Amino acid sequence: MTARMMVAAIGFRALTKQWNTKVEDLEPMRMADVELHLEEALHHDLKTTDADGNPILNKNEARMLATVVTAGLDTDNGGRVSFEEFVKACSSNEYFDTQTMIKFFDE
């Protein structure tokens, strides 16, 4: 778990471009930035097609997924994702892959 926390801390700094900022001074991520980065992470799934040639994830589904994930990260409902919220979420043992999330929206 400690390794995941360290990777999450570095990830937050990379995503927010706050490499040299003290932890207590880190600015939270805006929701739009979280959604953008998640859409980038889903890039492969947006380009991959099923046997019928349909994308396994379309842009609308990616936006909906980003909205749901973002809401889950923002545990204090402050409208932004803090360093602490991000590290906690990345350190959890929850596992969801894209296929599982797509099925959630299809039902």
Side-chain angles (χ1 to χ4, degrees):
M1 181 159 157
T2 304
R4 268 189 263 157
M5 292 174 75
M6 290 188 299
V7 170
I10 294 296
F12 185 89
R13 288 179 178 280
L15 292 170
T16 61
K17 299 178 176 90
Q18 298 181 82
W19 291 106
N20 298 314
T21 306
K22 292 180 183 178
V23 171
E24 58 271 13
D25 295 332
L26 288 169
E27 290 292 324
M29 273 193 275
R30 297 176 308 128
M31 292 304 192
D33 293 331
V34 175
E35 290 176 5
L36 172 68
H37 294 309
L38 186 55
E39 285 183 34
E40 289 173 351
L42 295 170
H43 174 78
H44 173 74
D45 295 313
L46 288 165
K47 300 295 180 196
T48 303
T49 57
D50 63 16
D52 297 324
N54 300 313
I56 62 169
L57 182 69
N58 65 47
K59 286 197 179 265
N60 188 47
E61 289 171 326
R63 281 189 207 102
M64 290 184 343
L65 178 56
T67 299
V68 170
V69 170
T70 300
L73 290 173
D74 181 21
T75 58
D76 69 358
N77 297 317
R80 301 188 306 170
V81 178
S82 70
F83 174 80
E84 291 80 9
E85 290 170 321
F86 187 82
V87 171
K88 183 177 179 182
C90 292
S91 302
S92 76
N93 288 325
E94 294 177 354
Y95 174 77
F96 279 101
D97 61 6
T98 307
Q99 294 298 325
T100 302
M101 293 300 284
I102 292 169
K103 288 178 185 174
F104 172 76
F105 289 117
D106 287 343
E107 294 178 357

